Amino acid sequence: MNDSERRKPLGDFLRKRRSGLSPDDVGLPSYGPRRKPGLRREEVAQLAHVGVSWYTWLEQGRDIAPSLQVLENLSQALRLTPDERRHLFSLSGQSLPPPPAPGDRTVRSSYQQVIDELSPTPAYVIGYRWDYLAWNQAAEEVFAISYPNPPHDLNLLWHFFTSPIIKERFRAWRQMAGGVLAEFHTARARFLGDPSFNQLIEDLKQASPEFCHGWLEHDARRVLDGYIEIEHPVLGRLEFEHMTLQVPSDPDIKMMIYPPYKDSREKLARYLASG
């Protein structure tokens, strides 16, 4: 879709959202009944800190280009949901800006429910910095996620490069390391100013020669999905396919799922049932 093709649906979208809000919804006085439902253009302009004429031209599909800040202001003024905000940016020909770094390590309870119901398939959820946010018992048994490993106990990258358990269990650890680093380079690129990323990277440089060497290669082309072998201390060799699912409403949340091959699934199911 080129710029001229975007402008009309963008104006239509703004008008529709404006008509679905009342002054009470946005904390403005209503001053009695209105001829048409919804907010007036001047009210949206006021809330978004833009000129009335400029906003009117935007709704009319004229050739103007809203900045990222104006789009954010319109998102807040029109009380857009995350999906609607993404749609607004798309219609404007803009990419979503990086979100502020999350300050907590919680996810929706529904995510935990989903991965619990996948058992005996190992599954876990990671956040923007690859911290583990949720995991099921199968993932705990296979990847020893909660094994103490300070100072970044619940970080996948730290776990992968510094935990002796992981190095022992992944049969192709060295081959996988490049793909892990490439994926993390891509994830980190959206948060270059985040000090928590920088601290994690500096700590890894000190703790892992493999990370220190591989990080300098700046490879961002590989993907992690595919065949994986694990050598479990009790169950022996386990085989999995690895897939990554991204949450559309929050692109920095990822669900990692490891469907086991038939024999491995049966081993895991028996082992989990016995525990």
Side-chain angles (χ1 to χ4, degrees), residues 37-98:
L39 295 177
R40 299 186 177 105
R41 284 173 174 165
E42 55 266 30
E43 291 170 331
V44 176
Q46 174 189 340
L47 292 168
H49 308 293
V50 297
V52 177
S53 296
W54 187 93
Y55 179 75
T56 301
W57 295 339
L58 188 63
E59 279 199 3
Q60 291 173 345
R62 297 201 191 184
D63 187 9
I64 55 177
S67 67
L68 292 177
Q69 185 58 59
V70 167
L71 292 174
E72 289 288 12
N73 291 350
L74 286 171
S75 297
Q76 295 174 24
L78 296 170
R79 303 300 192 262
L80 300 186
T81 66
D83 287 341
E84 289 169 337
R85 174 176 173 267
R86 185 166 56 253
H87 188 57
L88 173 66
F89 274 78
S90 177
L91 289 175
S92 302
Q94 300 273 16
S95 298
L96 280 174

Side-chain angles (χ1 to χ4, degrees), residues 165-214:
I165 294 177
I166 292 300
K167 290 185 176 182
E168 290 171 2
R169 292 193 183 185
F170 278 100
R171 295 171 65 96
W173 185 90
R174 290 193 178 276
Q175 294 91 318
M176 291 182 63
V180 171
L181 279 172
E183 291 281 340
F184 191 73
H185 262 299
T186 301
R188 189 242 182 171
R190 300 187 67 229
F191 298 95
L192 290 176
D194 185 341
S196 69
F197 263 104
N198 298 335
Q199 185 63 58
L200 172 63
I201 291 165
E202 289 306 313
D203 289 346
L204 278 162
K205 287 178 180 178
Q206 297 298 318
S208 170
E210 297 93 343
F211 175 88
C212 193
H213 174 74

